[in-house]
Amino acid sequence: MTLSTTFRALHHGRAAGDPLVLPGPWDAGSARVYAEAGFPALATPSAGVAASLGYEDGSTPPDEMFAAVARIVRAVSTGDTAVPVTADIEDGYGLAPAELVARLLDTGAVGCNLEDSADGRLKDPRRHADWLAEVKAAAGERLFVNARVDTFIRGVSDPARAIERAGLYVAAGADCVYPIGAPREAIPALRAGIEGPINVGAAPGGAAELSELGELGATRITFGPGLQRQAMAAVREGAARLRA
């Protein structure tokens, strides 16, 4: 069984209160920590990786982002067991679908997040769906595509609008959809209206909170840059103690 097949299987047949929890490593060291803790897969956050490289979110040069993902994959590919890694590559950096897929596969990643907004504005959903279909045609089963739906973070609070976009992306071949910024109360409606796995974002918290999100309808849970920011808060506290 390939890593991509293993990763895909993790999204199916899950009990309602048992979502797939994917920590977001921002570098090789954090990736090893999460792998050693026993998580079955990891999901890089673009904002967390950007911060670790000294960039603002959305400003990381593509070459540096792909190189960072490759280092993370390499860090958890040694030894007897390799851990699948999916990568947040924002809106695809303007790359043609075939080139985007080739560069992702070169990193060793088994999946990716792809946003449906750019420069703070939502993309035309049908054109974006056509582009996603081209990505899937180039990738086949080698990449698990998580199609981000940005309506909530772009000021569109009606879950129906997110469901409409999600339907187009699933029809285009997306393996999962991610209505980023969806409030907890919207998750049941999203679950009822969307076919297939749903990614829900969460703040770092305890297992009980994550289980509750699963009960509401989350198939998998990611944390964006939350874990990297949590770690940096601990670094700042340590720095303050050194100056005391």
Side-chain angles (χ1 to χ4, degrees):
M1 182 179 291
T2 65
L3 275 183
S4 61
T5 301
T6 298
F7 184 66
R8 191 177 303 279
L10 290 170
H11 293 76
H12 298 281
R14 306 197 71 87
D18 180 34
L20 174 61
V21 177
L22 300 178
W26 54 93
D27 60 12
S30 58
R32 282 184 174 166
V33 168
Y34 295 129
E36 290 167 1
F39 289 96
L42 306 174
T44 72
S46 62
V49 172
S52 76
L53 296 173
Y55 293 103
E56 295 295 322
D57 184 21
S59 299
T60 310
D63 287 351
E64 292 199 42
M65 182 63 76
F66 287 118
V69 171
R71 288 192 294 271
I72 288 169
V73 172
R74 185 173 65 248
V76 295
S77 296
T78 58
D80 296 332
T81 304
V83 176
V85 175
T86 183
D88 182 349
I89 52 168
E90 304 178 80
D91 68 349
Y93 307 116
L95 298 173
E99 182 181 359
L100 180 63
V101 168
R103 297 200 67 175
L104 270 169
L105 292 175
D106 283 346
T107 70
V110 300
C112 62
N113 280 13
L114 291 168
E115 304 171 3
D116 72 344
S117 64
D119 301 320
R121 301 179 65 181
L122 290 165
K123 297 180 179 180
D124 177 88
R126 294 190 181 279
R127 290 180 62 185
H128 186 63
D130 290 342
W131 182 75
L132 287 174
E134 291 184 53
V135 172
K136 282 299 297 182
E141 296 298 299
R142 297 176 295 174
L143 288 176
F144 185 97
V145 174
N146 187 33
R148 210 176 83 174
V149 179
D150 289 1
T151 51
F152 292 104
I153 64 170
R154 301 302 176 205
V156 183
S157 60
D158 184 355
R161 303 288 80 77
I163 291 169
E164 288 173 1
R165 285 177 173 259
L168 291 171
Y169 305 159
V170 170
D175 301 286
C176 183
V177 293
Y178 178 15
I180 187 171
R184 289 174 66 97
E185 59 269 20
I187 297 174
L190 294 170
R191 175 65 285 167
I194 295 172
E195 181 182 351
I198 299 176
N199 189 150
V200 169
E209 298 170 43
L210 303 180
S211 179
E212 289 175 8
L213 290 174
E215 293 283 0
L216 289 172
T219 308
R220 81 180 205 181
I221 297 172
T222 53
F223 305 94
L227 294 167
Q228 186 268 342
R229 291 173 180 171
Q230 186 181 70
M232 290 308 298
V235 172
R236 290 189 187 93
E237 290 178 8
R241 287 194 296 270
L242 292 174
R243 294 282 292 173

